[in-house]
Short mmCIF file of all heavy atoms in Angstrom, two decimals:
data_model
loop_
_atom_site.label_atom_id
_atom_site.label_comp_id
_atom_site.label_asym_id
_atom_site.label_seq_id
_atom_site.Cartn_x
_atom_site.Cartn_y
_atom_site.Cartn_z
N THR L 1 116.40 72.78 67.92
CA THR L 1 115.88 74.00 68.54
C THR L 1 116.88 75.14 68.45
O THR L 1 116.55 76.25 68.05
CB THR L 1 115.58 73.75 70.04
OG1 THR L 1 114.56 72.74 70.12
CG2 THR L 1 115.09 75.02 70.73
N PHE L 2 118.13 74.85 68.79
CA PHE L 2 119.09 75.94 69.02
C PHE L 2 119.74 76.44 67.73
O PHE L 2 120.05 77.62 67.62
CB PHE L 2 120.11 75.49 70.08
CG PHE L 2 119.42 75.06 71.34
CD1 PHE L 2 119.24 73.72 71.63
CD2 PHE L 2 118.86 76.01 72.19
CE1 PHE L 2 118.55 73.32 72.77
CE2 PHE L 2 118.16 75.62 73.33
CZ PHE L 2 118.00 74.28 73.62
N ILE L 3 119.92 75.54 66.75
CA ILE L 3 120.44 75.98 65.46
C ILE L 3 119.45 76.94 64.78
O ILE L 3 119.84 78.04 64.38
CB ILE L 3 120.83 74.78 64.57
CG1 ILE L 3 122.13 74.16 65.12
CG2 ILE L 3 120.99 75.19 63.11
CD1 ILE L 3 122.56 72.86 64.46
N PRO L 4 118.15 76.59 64.66
CA PRO L 4 117.22 77.57 64.09
C PRO L 4 117.09 78.85 64.94
O PRO L 4 116.82 79.92 64.39
CB PRO L 4 115.89 76.82 64.01
CG PRO L 4 116.05 75.58 64.81
CD PRO L 4 117.51 75.28 64.86
N LEU L 5 117.33 78.72 66.24
CA LEU L 5 117.30 79.91 67.11
C LEU L 5 118.41 80.89 66.72
O LEU L 5 118.20 82.11 66.66
CB LEU L 5 117.46 79.47 68.57
CG LEU L 5 117.20 80.52 69.65
CD1 LEU L 5 115.72 80.93 69.67
CD2 LEU L 5 117.57 79.97 71.03
N VAL L 6 119.60 80.35 66.40
CA VAL L 6 120.71 81.21 65.97
C VAL L 6 120.43 81.81 64.59
O VAL L 6 120.70 82.99 64.36
CB VAL L 6 122.05 80.42 65.95
CG1 VAL L 6 123.17 81.30 65.39
CG2 VAL L 6 122.42 79.95 67.35
N ILE L 7 119.85 81.02 63.70
CA ILE L 7 119.51 81.54 62.37
C ILE L 7 118.49 82.68 62.49
O ILE L 7 118.62 83.71 61.82
CB ILE L 7 119.00 80.40 61.45
CG1 ILE L 7 120.14 79.41 61.18
CG2 ILE L 7 118.45 80.96 60.14
CD1 ILE L 7 119.71 78.10 60.52
N ALA L 8 117.52 82.50 63.36
CA ALA L 8 116.55 83.57 63.63
C ALA L 8 117.26 84.79 64.22
O ALA L 8 116.95 85.94 63.87
CB ALA L 8 115.46 83.08 64.58
N GLY L 9 118.23 84.53 65.10
CA GLY L 9 119.01 85.62 65.70
C GLY L 9 119.79 86.39 64.65
O GLY L 9 119.91 87.62 64.71
N TRP L 10 120.32 85.65 63.65
CA TRP L 10 121.06 86.31 62.57
C TRP L 10 120.13 87.21 61.76
O TRP L 10 120.47 88.34 61.42
CB TRP L 10 121.72 85.26 61.68
CG TRP L 10 122.42 85.85 60.48
CD1 TRP L 10 123.33 86.87 60.47
CD2 TRP L 10 122.28 85.45 59.12
NE1 TRP L 10 123.77 87.13 59.18
CE2 TRP L 10 123.13 86.26 58.33
CE3 TRP L 10 121.51 84.46 58.48
CZ2 TRP L 10 123.23 86.12 56.95
CZ3 TRP L 10 121.62 84.33 57.10
CH2 TRP L 10 122.47 85.16 56.35
N CYS L 11 118.92 86.72 61.46
CA CYS L 11 117.94 87.55 60.74
C CYS L 11 117.59 88.79 61.56
O CYS L 11 117.45 89.90 61.02
CB CYS L 11 116.68 86.74 60.43
SG CYS L 11 116.96 85.37 59.28
N ARG L 12 117.48 88.62 62.87
CA ARG L 12 117.19 89.76 63.77
C ARG L 12 118.37 90.74 63.77
O ARG L 12 118.18 91.97 63.75
CB ARG L 12 116.92 89.21 65.18
CG ARG L 12 116.86 90.22 66.30
CD ARG L 12 115.66 91.15 66.19
NE ARG L 12 115.69 92.15 67.26
CZ ARG L 12 116.45 93.23 67.25
NH1 ARG L 12 117.25 93.49 66.22
NH2 ARG L 12 116.40 94.10 68.26
N TYR L 13 119.59 90.21 63.74
CA TYR L 13 120.80 91.02 63.67
C TYR L 13 120.80 91.91 62.42
O TYR L 13 121.21 93.07 62.46
CB TYR L 13 122.02 90.08 63.68
CG TYR L 13 123.32 90.66 63.18
CD1 TYR L 13 124.18 91.34 64.04
CD2 TYR L 13 123.72 90.51 61.84
CE1 TYR L 13 125.39 91.87 63.59
CE2 TYR L 13 124.92 91.03 61.38
CZ TYR L 13 125.75 91.71 62.26
OH TYR L 13 126.94 92.23 61.80
N LEU L 14 120.32 91.34 61.30
CA LEU L 14 120.32 92.07 60.02
C LEU L 14 119.45 93.32 60.04
O LEU L 14 119.58 94.17 59.16
CB LEU L 14 119.87 91.14 58.89
CG LEU L 14 120.83 90.00 58.53
CD1 LEU L 14 120.17 88.99 57.61
CD2 LEU L 14 122.12 90.54 57.90
N MET L 15 118.60 93.45 61.05
CA MET L 15 117.79 94.67 61.18
C MET L 15 118.65 95.88 61.57
O MET L 15 118.22 97.02 61.43
CB MET L 15 116.67 94.48 62.21
CG MET L 15 115.58 93.52 61.75
SD MET L 15 114.37 93.17 63.06
CE MET L 15 113.57 94.78 63.23
N GLY L 16 119.88 95.61 62.08
CA GLY L 16 120.77 96.71 62.44
C GLY L 16 120.36 97.43 63.72
O GLY L 16 120.75 98.57 63.96
N LEU L 17 119.57 96.73 64.56
CA LEU L 17 119.14 97.29 65.85
C LEU L 17 119.52 96.31 66.95
O LEU L 17 119.29 95.09 66.80
CB LEU L 17 117.62 97.48 65.87
CG LEU L 17 117.00 98.41 64.82
CD1 LEU L 17 115.48 98.32 64.87
CD2 LEU L 17 117.45 99.86 65.05
N ASP L 18 120.09 96.81 68.04
CA ASP L 18 120.42 95.89 69.13
C ASP L 18 119.16 95.53 69.91
O ASP L 18 118.05 95.95 69.56
CB ASP L 18 121.53 96.48 70.02
CG ASP L 18 121.08 97.71 70.81
OD1 ASP L 18 119.86 97.96 70.95
OD2 ASP L 18 121.97 98.43 71.32
N ASP L 19 119.34 94.77 70.99
CA ASP L 19 118.18 94.26 71.72
C ASP L 19 117.37 95.37 72.38
O ASP L 19 116.20 95.17 72.72
CB ASP L 19 118.64 93.23 72.77
CG ASP L 19 117.47 92.40 73.31
OD1 ASP L 19 116.45 92.28 72.60
OD2 ASP L 19 117.59 91.89 74.44
N GLN L 20 117.97 96.53 72.56
CA GLN L 20 117.24 97.67 73.15
C GLN L 20 116.61 98.56 72.08
O GLN L 20 115.99 99.57 72.40
CB GLN L 20 118.17 98.49 74.05
CG GLN L 20 118.76 97.70 75.22
CD GLN L 20 117.69 96.98 76.03
OE1 GLN L 20 116.67 97.57 76.41
NE2 GLN L 20 117.90 95.68 76.28
N GLY L 21 116.81 98.19 70.81
CA GLY L 21 116.25 98.98 69.72
C GLY L 21 117.15 100.09 69.24
O GLY L 21 116.75 100.90 68.40
N ASN L 22 118.39 100.15 69.76
CA ASN L 22 119.33 101.18 69.31
C ASN L 22 120.04 100.71 68.03
O ASN L 22 120.31 99.52 67.86
CB ASN L 22 120.40 101.44 70.39
CG ASN L 22 119.76 101.86 71.71
OD1 ASN L 22 118.88 102.71 71.72
ND2 ASN L 22 120.19 101.25 72.80
N GLU L 23 120.36 101.68 67.17
CA GLU L 23 121.06 101.32 65.94
C GLU L 23 122.46 100.78 66.24
O GLU L 23 123.14 101.27 67.14
CB GLU L 23 121.19 102.56 65.03
CG GLU L 23 119.90 102.86 64.29
CD GLU L 23 120.11 103.86 63.15
OE1 GLU L 23 121.23 103.92 62.60
OE2 GLU L 23 119.14 104.56 62.83
N MET L 24 122.83 99.74 65.50
CA MET L 24 124.20 99.21 65.65
C MET L 24 124.77 98.98 64.25
O MET L 24 124.04 98.70 63.30
CB MET L 24 124.19 97.90 66.45
CG MET L 24 123.45 96.75 65.80
SD MET L 24 123.58 95.22 66.76
CE MET L 24 122.81 94.06 65.61
N SER L 25 126.08 99.13 64.12
CA SER L 25 126.68 98.94 62.80
C SER L 25 126.85 97.45 62.56
O SER L 25 127.13 96.67 63.48
CB SER L 25 128.03 99.66 62.72
OG SER L 25 128.87 99.19 63.74
N LEU L 26 126.65 97.04 61.31
CA LEU L 26 126.74 95.63 60.93
C LEU L 26 128.11 95.35 60.30
O LEU L 26 128.65 96.20 59.59
CB LEU L 26 125.63 95.27 59.95
CG LEU L 26 124.20 95.45 60.48
CD1 LEU L 26 123.18 95.05 59.41
CD2 LEU L 26 123.96 94.64 61.74
N SER L 27 128.64 94.18 60.55
CA SER L 27 129.94 93.80 59.99
C SER L 27 129.79 93.56 58.48
O SER L 27 128.71 93.26 57.99
CB SER L 27 130.45 92.53 60.67
OG SER L 27 130.57 92.74 62.07
N SER L 28 130.91 93.69 57.77
CA SER L 28 130.86 93.57 56.31
C SER L 28 130.42 92.17 55.90
O SER L 28 130.72 91.18 56.56
CB SER L 28 132.23 93.89 55.71
OG SER L 28 133.18 92.96 56.19
N ASP L 29 129.69 92.12 54.79
CA ASP L 29 129.17 90.86 54.26
C ASP L 29 128.80 91.12 52.80
O ASP L 29 128.12 92.10 52.51
CB ASP L 29 127.92 90.42 55.05
CG ASP L 29 127.46 89.02 54.69
OD1 ASP L 29 127.26 88.75 53.49
OD2 ASP L 29 127.29 88.20 55.60
N PRO L 30 129.25 90.26 51.87
CA PRO L 30 128.95 90.54 50.45
C PRO L 30 127.46 90.58 50.12
O PRO L 30 127.06 91.21 49.14
CB PRO L 30 129.64 89.39 49.71
CG PRO L 30 130.01 88.38 50.74
CD PRO L 30 130.10 89.09 52.05
N LEU L 31 126.62 89.93 50.94
CA LEU L 31 125.17 89.93 50.66
C LEU L 31 124.40 90.91 51.55
O LEU L 31 123.16 90.89 51.55
CB LEU L 31 124.60 88.52 50.86
CG LEU L 31 125.07 87.42 49.91
CD1 LEU L 31 124.33 86.12 50.18
CD2 LEU L 31 124.88 87.82 48.46
N LEU L 32 125.12 91.76 52.29
CA LEU L 32 124.46 92.58 53.30
C LEU L 32 123.32 93.43 52.75
O LEU L 32 122.21 93.43 53.29
CB LEU L 32 125.50 93.48 54.01
CG LEU L 32 125.03 94.12 55.32
CD1 LEU L 32 124.58 93.08 56.32
CD2 LEU L 32 126.17 94.95 55.93
N SER L 33 123.57 94.15 51.66
CA SER L 33 122.52 95.05 51.15
C SER L 33 121.31 94.26 50.68
O SER L 33 120.16 94.66 50.91
CB SER L 33 123.07 95.93 50.02
OG SER L 33 123.61 95.13 49.00
N THR L 34 121.52 93.11 50.04
CA THR L 34 120.41 92.26 49.58
C THR L 34 119.59 91.75 50.76
O THR L 34 118.35 91.82 50.76
CB THR L 34 120.96 91.04 48.78
OG1 THR L 34 121.83 91.52 47.76
CG2 THR L 34 119.85 90.22 48.17
N LEU L 35 120.27 91.25 51.78
CA LEU L 35 119.59 90.67 52.95
C LEU L 35 118.83 91.74 53.72
O LEU L 35 117.69 91.52 54.16
CB LEU L 35 120.62 89.98 53.86
CG LEU L 35 121.31 88.75 53.25
CD1 LEU L 35 122.54 88.35 54.08
CD2 LEU L 35 120.34 87.57 53.17
N LYS L 36 119.46 92.90 53.90
CA LYS L 36 118.79 94.00 54.62
C LYS L 36 117.53 94.44 53.88
O LYS L 36 116.52 94.79 54.49
CB LYS L 36 119.74 95.19 54.78
CG LYS L 36 120.75 95.01 55.91
CD LYS L 36 121.76 96.12 55.94
CE LYS L 36 121.17 97.44 56.37
NZ LYS L 36 122.19 98.52 56.40
N ASN L 37 117.60 94.40 52.56
CA ASN L 37 116.47 94.81 51.74
C ASN L 37 115.25 93.91 51.97
O ASN L 37 114.11 94.38 52.02
CB ASN L 37 116.87 94.80 50.25
CG ASN L 37 115.91 95.57 49.40
OD1 ASN L 37 115.43 96.63 49.79
ND2 ASN L 37 115.59 95.03 48.24
N TYR L 38 115.51 92.60 52.12
CA TYR L 38 114.40 91.66 52.35
C TYR L 38 113.61 92.00 53.61
O TYR L 38 112.39 91.85 53.65
CB TYR L 38 114.92 90.22 52.47
CG TYR L 38 115.43 89.62 51.19
CD1 TYR L 38 116.59 88.85 51.18
CD2 TYR L 38 114.75 89.78 49.98
CE1 TYR L 38 117.08 88.27 50.02
CE2 TYR L 38 115.22 89.21 48.81
CZ TYR L 38 116.38 88.45 48.82
OH TYR L 38 116.86 87.87 47.68
N ILE L 39 114.35 92.42 54.65
CA ILE L 39 113.66 92.63 55.93
C ILE L 39 113.45 94.12 56.25
O ILE L 39 113.16 94.48 57.38
CB ILE L 39 114.42 91.94 57.09
CG1 ILE L 39 115.87 92.43 57.18
CG2 ILE L 39 114.39 90.44 56.95
CD1 ILE L 39 116.55 92.02 58.45
N SER L 40 113.59 94.95 55.22
CA SER L 40 113.50 96.40 55.45
C SER L 40 112.13 96.84 55.96
O SER L 40 111.99 97.87 56.61
CB SER L 40 113.84 97.17 54.16
OG SER L 40 112.98 96.75 53.11
N GLY L 41 111.10 96.02 55.68
CA GLY L 41 109.75 96.40 56.13
C GLY L 41 109.41 95.94 57.53
O GLY L 41 108.34 96.27 58.07
N VAL L 42 110.31 95.15 58.14
CA VAL L 42 110.04 94.63 59.49
C VAL L 42 110.27 95.71 60.53
O VAL L 42 111.28 96.41 60.51
CB VAL L 42 110.94 93.40 59.80
CG1 VAL L 42 110.68 92.89 61.21
CG2 VAL L 42 110.70 92.29 58.78
N LYS L 43 109.32 95.87 61.42
CA LYS L 43 109.40 96.91 62.47
C LYS L 43 109.49 96.26 63.85
O LYS L 43 108.72 95.34 64.15
CB LYS L 43 108.17 97.83 62.43
CG LYS L 43 107.95 98.52 61.08
CD LYS L 43 108.90 99.69 60.89
CE LYS L 43 108.64 100.41 59.58
NZ LYS L 43 109.11 99.69 58.39
N LEU L 44 110.43 96.74 64.66
CA LEU L 44 110.55 96.24 66.03
C LEU L 44 109.27 96.56 66.79
O LEU L 44 108.79 97.69 66.76
CB LEU L 44 111.76 96.90 66.71
CG LEU L 44 112.20 96.29 68.05
CD1 LEU L 44 112.65 94.85 67.88
CD2 LEU L 44 113.32 97.11 68.67
N GLY L 45 108.72 95.55 67.46
CA GLY L 45 107.48 95.75 68.20
C GLY L 45 106.23 95.46 67.38
O GLY L 45 105.11 95.52 67.90
N ASP L 46 106.39 95.14 66.09
CA ASP L 46 105.23 94.88 65.22
C ASP L 46 105.42 93.52 64.55
O ASP L 46 105.99 93.42 63.47
CB ASP L 46 105.10 96.00 64.18
CG ASP L 46 103.92 95.79 63.24
OD1 ASP L 46 103.14 94.83 63.45
OD2 ASP L 46 103.78 96.58 62.28
N VAL L 47 104.92 92.47 65.20
CA VAL L 47 105.11 91.11 64.70
C VAL L 47 104.44 90.91 63.35
O VAL L 47 104.94 90.18 62.49
CB VAL L 47 104.57 90.10 65.75
CG1 VAL L 47 104.61 88.68 65.21
CG2 VAL L 47 105.40 90.17 67.03
#
């Protein structure tokens, strides 16, 4: 339960928005631009 919960949390983190929906800066990662691109169409509040 909890390992997939963290993985889901990481995907949520990649949206670059904190839990209140405010923009937050993401830490460096060699795959950051690729990963962000995958979820670029996801909108907070729109499942």
Side-chain angles (χ1 to χ4, degrees):
T1 298
F2 304 101
I3 286 173
L5 191 66
V6 176
I7 293 168
W10 176 51
C11 295
R12 169 67 183 79
Y13 161 87
L14 292 168
M15 290 174 68
L17 300 172
D18 68 17
D19 195 25
Q20 299 309 311
N22 303 313
E23 281 194 27
M24 64 176 187
S25 57
L26 299 180
S27 302
S28 62
D29 189 307
L31 295 184
L32 195 57
S33 56
T34 307
L35 295 166
K36 281 173 70 179
N37 196 40
Y38 289 138
I39 57 168
S40 57
V42 178
K43 302 283 182 286
L44 192 63
D46 180 5
V47 174

